[in-house]
Amino acid sequence: MTAVLASHTTPEVRALLGDALLHELSHGLRGPYHVLFPDRFDTNATAFRQAFTEAGVDGRVYFAKKANKAAVYAERAAVAGLGVDVASQGELREALAAGVRGEDLVVTGPAKADDLLRVALLQSALVAVDALDELDRLLSLAAELGRTARVLLRRLPPQQPHSRFGMDDGELDAALRRCATGPVDMEGFSFHLSGYDTRQRTDLTAELIHLCARARGLGLRADRISIGGGFAVDYVAADDWRRFEESRRPEHFHAEKSFGGFYPYHSPVAGADALRTILAATPTGADEATSLAGLLRAAGITLLVEPGRALLDQAGFTVFRVQGVKERDGYALLTVDGTSLSLSEQWFDSEFLPDPVLVPAGTRPGADAGPYPACVGAATCLESDMLTWRKIPFPLRPAAGDLLVYLNTAGYQMDSNESPFHDLPLPPKVVVEPSDPRFRWRLDRHPH
């Protein structure tokens, strides 16, 4: 049987799992829904800021809005004075509506449309420029509008030379020359690295410190470096993850499904601790006594980070109701009242692996103790629409009316790929906050 992969939780989550509110919401909303915990977002943001303070580094935290469409997180970012990373007009518009100031926005993404660049200029947002032709369009628009463009130049990572993001050495040289003569406040450099390697981030940041010095020699400001996101989230315990990896076999999955790979659901260094590791490390080739934090301080450089998933760690979960139970040979096939479009990992040749929590509809005193292995399918006519291919070892036999709670889904899982397939409504987002004696809730204001 497949290994247990119990998700880490918080006292707030555990209390809500035992509260009648989850079943009340399922009944009242008539379908699946997402629960949001804004207080946890605040806690995670404070942890990142504390990591900068401990290292003595001037730093700025931007929430990567693409990680979740809910309005409440952008609203919390505005109140806390965080920046927000946006990559479309829609995200920019939503951030402004949430109260985020234009100068607190950083606009990322490749080949940004002129309409997006125009609004960014008018709002005095920082623009991470990905290519020379984009820089030319931005400079032309700035001249047309009589504005000064705030710019970061994105570096193509030498560690990932096939990345489609960023400029190589020759392109950066050309970009610096154009910035030196154009309507630009060239604030520094940025990069986008796939994966979660902290050493790569330390080394590339050190390289960009040298680039800042070169840019300053051309009379440019160059006092900021953005290292983007890529701060892992630790979903499950180390021993559980090890047992899963060591024991995994095709028969542990419905139809012996295979996958291209899995997110590293256990990470020994995650969230703000990953930032601490990056800052404390000595870059390759630097003096052994010199940390990245020391190099940043000496150069007078502000470090920008753009976490998405890590700011949303434990900040939400997703609830489905079991509609039917079909027995198979040695396991059950559950069908729930939603689709895997609300659990986005399934649409990337992968699987969201932490075990969903079974919340029974009522007491079943005669029920035998489990485990009862079951996988989870969606309420659609697509063979591939599975929320969980893995045969989860539930502690109790699931039944119609029970709830399945997928924990820690706020970061990229709950809404990245949602669509009203089959004319099913999108699951609403419910903002939940502790209150005495019970939780209180409201619907998130996002119009979608």
Side-chain angles (χ1 to χ4, degrees):
M1 183 175 292
T2 183
V4 171
L5 281 174
S7 178
H8 294 313
T9 59
T10 65
E12 182 179 43
V13 167
R14 292 192 291 274
L16 190 53
L17 288 173
D19 197 287
L21 179 61
L22 294 186
H23 280 285
E24 292 173 8
L25 288 170
S26 179
H27 174 76
L29 298 173
R30 313 303 290 175
Y33 60 94
H34 305 297
V35 172
L36 313 178
F37 298 108
D39 288 351
R40 186 67 189 192
F41 177 90
D42 298 345
T43 299
N44 293 333
T46 298
F48 272 91
R49 285 173 153 172
Q50 184 62 32
F52 281 127
T53 300
E54 292 169 4
V57 170
D58 186 20
R60 186 78 195 278
V61 181
Y62 288 79
F63 167 50
K65 194 174 186 314
K66 59 183 175 291
N68 196 293
K69 297 183 178 72
V72 69
Y73 299 127
E75 291 166 354
R76 288 300 182 107
V79 171
L82 302 181
V84 174
D85 162 20
V86 300
S88 71
Q89 278 186 282
E91 289 183 346
L92 189 153
R93 181 172 58 247
E94 283 295 311
L96 291 173
V100 182
R101 302 181 306 170
E103 57 263 39
D104 292 332
L105 298 174
V106 58
V107 184
T108 58
K112 291 171 276 293
D114 283 357
D115 288 346
L116 175 57
L117 294 175
R118 184 177 291 107
V119 177
L121 285 164
L122 292 172
Q123 293 295 327
S124 299
L126 183 60
V127 179
V129 174
D130 191 65
L132 285 174
D133 65 331
E134 182 179 86
L135 178 61
D136 290 339
R137 288 189 291 110
L138 181 63
L139 296 181
S140 177
L141 287 167
E144 175 188 320
L145 295 170
R147 312 286 291 198
T148 298
R150 297 178 57 214
V151 166
L152 297 175
L153 298 179
R154 178 172 278 176
R155 171 75 163 112
L156 174 69
Q159 302 95 326
Q160 297 176 5
H162 301 296
S163 171
R164 67 188 184 94
F165 300 115
M167 293 179 274
D168 62 22
D169 291 337
E171 291 166 329
L172 280 177
D173 284 341
L176 287 171
R177 290 194 298 271
R178 294 177 199 184
C179 287
T181 59
V184 175
D185 183 1
M186 207 294 279
E187 298 190 12
F189 297 90
S190 70
F191 61 78
H192 170 89
L193 272 173
S194 297
Y196 301 97
D197 190 315
T198 57
R199 163 57 59 185
Q200 287 186 357
R201 284 166 172 76
T202 295
D203 288 349
L204 188 47
T205 303
E207 178 192 325
L208 295 191
I209 292 174
H210 295 299
L211 274 178
C212 284
R214 198 167 90 205
R216 290 172 180 176
L218 297 173
L220 298 168
R221 173 176 160 183
D223 63 358
R224 295 179 178 225
I225 294 172
S226 172
I227 66 173
F231 302 95
V233 165
D234 185 35
Y235 288 87
V236 302
D239 286 345
D240 288 348
W241 184 244
R242 176 185 52 78
R243 280 191 290 267
F244 167 78
E245 290 278 68
E246 290 175 354
S247 65
R248 172 162 48 101
R249 298 194 301 274
E251 58 265 32
H252 291 165
F253 298 83
H254 174 61
E256 299 194 350
K257 171 74 172 175
S258 61
F259 299 91
F262 298 117
Y263 182 89
Y265 285 96
H266 169 68
S267 180
V269 180
D273 286 338
L275 176 59
R276 291 184 175 90
T277 300
I278 292 166
L279 293 172
T282 298
T284 301
D287 184 276
E288 289 185 5
T290 304
S291 66
L292 178 65
L295 293 176
L296 290 166
R297 290 194 299 268
I301 289 175
T302 299
L303 195 69
L304 315 181
V305 294
E306 299 159 11
R309 190 189 298 257
L311 283 182
L312 298 170
D313 184 21
Q314 299 292 345
F317 60 62
T318 300
V319 182
F320 298 91
R321 182 175 57 85
V322 177
Q323 292 190 159
V325 180
K326 182 181 293 185
E327 298 293 342
R328 289 297 196 200
D329 183 17
Y331 68 101
L333 179 59
L334 312 181
T335 299
V336 296
D337 59 350
T339 79
S340 60
L341 290 163
S342 299
L343 206 62
S344 298
E345 200 71 28
Q346 314 300 32
W347 292 82
F348 296 99
D349 191 25
S350 190
E351 171 110 326
F352 186 70
L353 287 174
D355 295 351
V357 175
L358 181 70
V359 181
T363 57
R364 295 201 283 275
D368 295 330
Y372 281 89
C375 53
V376 185
T380 73
C381 58
L382 296 178
E383 192 75 63
S384 62
D385 195 359
M386 296 286 293
L387 284 81
T388 300
W389 293 84
R390 189 166 65 92
K391 298 169 185 176
I392 303 296
F394 288 106
L396 185 72
R397 184 185 186 277
D402 292 348
L403 301 180
L404 291 185
V405 180
Y406 286 84
L407 298 174
N408 210 359
T409 58
Y412 289 107
Q413 291 302 316
M414 62 175 56
D415 65 14
S416 292
N417 293 325
E418 281 188 328
S419 80
F421 184 58
H422 276 322
D423 282 338
L424 294 170
L426 296 183
K429 292 187 173 74
V430 180
V431 180
V432 173
E433 297 174 300
S435 183
D436 190 18
R438 292 192 62 191
F439 290 94
R440 60 182 179 180
W441 67 274
R442 64 177 173 84
L443 293 177
D444 184 70
R445 72 163 178 84
H446 196 281
H448 302 310

